[in-house]
Amino acid sequence: MSILQKLETLGLVLPEPPAPGGNYVSVNIRESIAYLAIQFPILNGEFKYQGRLGNDLTTEDGYQAMKMCALNVIAQIHHKVGFERVSGLNHIDAYYQAVENWDEAPKVVNGASDLFVNVLEDKGLHSRAIFGVHKLSRNFSVGLTASFTLLH
């Protein structure tokens, strides 16, 4: 089953990949590694899930926001690299902004991890790091970067 078919089975449609918000590229390939610029919860140009987790947004909102970020990662790979070139997902860095005492970041980041494993199967297994930050661009609640190994 192709990646696009798996997405359809999960009830998901691949969005248009968001354009860079500055002087950088969305996907930077160095030898056999593709590095993806931070992806935010943007759906076909519309900003979603803005605010602080634990105040403006729930943990479930954060899960859905991170899932949207992961879907944008997959859209970037589809449009800029091609799934046939992907050996596997290496690592993700997840960023979130929350109120001071909110402490459910692993549950939120599972939104991305679950999507990658469900869609890419073994190629979606990855390591990850989670960073709480004071402020994300455009007041997004979450952001996600990723790196993939490409086939030669």
Side-chain angles (χ1 to χ4, degrees):
M1 182 180 300
S2 76
I3 301 297
L4 295 175
Q5 289 171 324
K6 287 180 191 174
L7 288 167
E8 187 178 326
T9 300
L10 295 170
L12 300 170
V13 176
L14 207 57
E16 282 299 314
N23 185 16
Y24 62 93
V25 295
S26 300
V27 180
N28 189 14
I29 298 173
R30 294 288 185 252
E31 296 186 16
S32 63
I33 305 293
Y35 300 93
L36 277 80
I38 194 164
Q39 300 296 299
F40 293 111
I42 300 172
L43 181 61
N44 298 320
E46 186 179 343
F47 295 175
K48 303 280 192 176
Y49 299 104
Q50 293 169 292
R52 291 198 175 276
L53 295 164
N55 184 40
D56 308 305
L57 300 163
T58 66
T59 298
E60 177 59 26
D61 291 333
Y63 180 96
Q64 294 302 323
M66 195 58 79
K67 183 177 176 181
M68 189 175 291
C69 293
L71 199 57
N72 283 330
V73 166
I74 291 172
Q76 295 287 359
I77 288 293
H78 175 64
H79 289 297
K80 304 282 192 323
V81 178
F83 296 129
E84 70 283 351
R85 291 187 59 199
V86 173
S87 172
L89 174 62
N90 299 323
H91 181 84
I92 63 173
D93 285 329
Y95 302 88
Y96 70 93
Q97 63 177 29
V99 294
E100 187 174 339
N101 293 325
W102 182 87
D103 191 26
E104 297 186 354
K107 292 178 184 176
V108 165
V109 179
N110 280 344
S113 294
D114 292 348
L115 183 76
F116 288 132
V117 171
N118 288 335
V119 172
L120 302 173
E121 298 175 344
D122 288 347
K123 290 182 178 184
L125 298 173
H126 57 277
S127 59
R128 71 185 193 186
I130 304 172
F131 304 95
V133 298
H134 176 69
K135 181 88 171 120
L136 287 169
S137 178
R138 313 288 175 145
N139 199 32
F140 286 116
S141 57
V142 297
L144 180 70
T145 65
S147 67
F148 289 81
T149 297
L150 304 178
L151 299 169
H152 295 291

